[in-house]
């Protein structure tokens, strides 16, 4: 299970670099933070159950944040910079 967190770190790192190259600095910093978080967790040698609990908590926080952002922060029909 620890290797899957390294895989998650790898892919979030790829996304972070792509966001950085696309001039999305804030998003790239968020993804670099996630990369560090996943790689750090992968070397803790936790039990598989604990990795599942951490991943479930991560998904819960992501979905709550994403739902909040899309419901209250985005303005329908508004395009930024285009």
């Amino acid at each position: 299970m620890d290797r899957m967190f390294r895989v998650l770190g790898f892919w979030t790192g790829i996304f972070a670099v792509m966001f950085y190259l696309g001039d999305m600095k804030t998003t790239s910093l968020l993804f670099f933070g996630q990369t560090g978080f996943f790689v750090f967790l992968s070397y803790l040698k936790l039990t598989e159950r604990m990795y599942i609990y951490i991943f479930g908590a991560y998904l819960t926080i992501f979905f709550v944040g994403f739902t909040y952002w899309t419901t209250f922060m985005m303005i329908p029909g508004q395009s930024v910079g285009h």
Side-chain angles (χ1 to χ4, degrees), residues 9-23:
F10 170 78
W11 284 111
T12 54
I14 294 294
F15 273 78
V17 169
M18 292 299 174
F19 282 131
Y20 182 77
L21 293 175
D23 285 334

Side-chain angles (χ1 to χ4, degrees), residues 33-45:
Q34 289 180 25
T35 299
F37 174 71
F38 286 140
V39 171
F40 170 74
L41 280 177
S42 71
Y43 287 105
L44 288 182
K45 299 293 184 192

Side-chain angles (χ1 to χ4, degrees), residues 78-82:
Q78 182 180 5
S79 178
V80 179
H82 296 290

Side-chain angles (χ1 to χ4, degrees), residues 48-67:
E48 188 167 344
R49 178 178 288 188
M50 195 63 201
Y51 279 123
I52 294 296
Y53 286 155
I54 291 171
F55 188 66
Y58 167 79
L59 287 180
T60 302
I61 292 169
F62 168 78
F63 285 130
V64 167
F66 183 77
T67 302

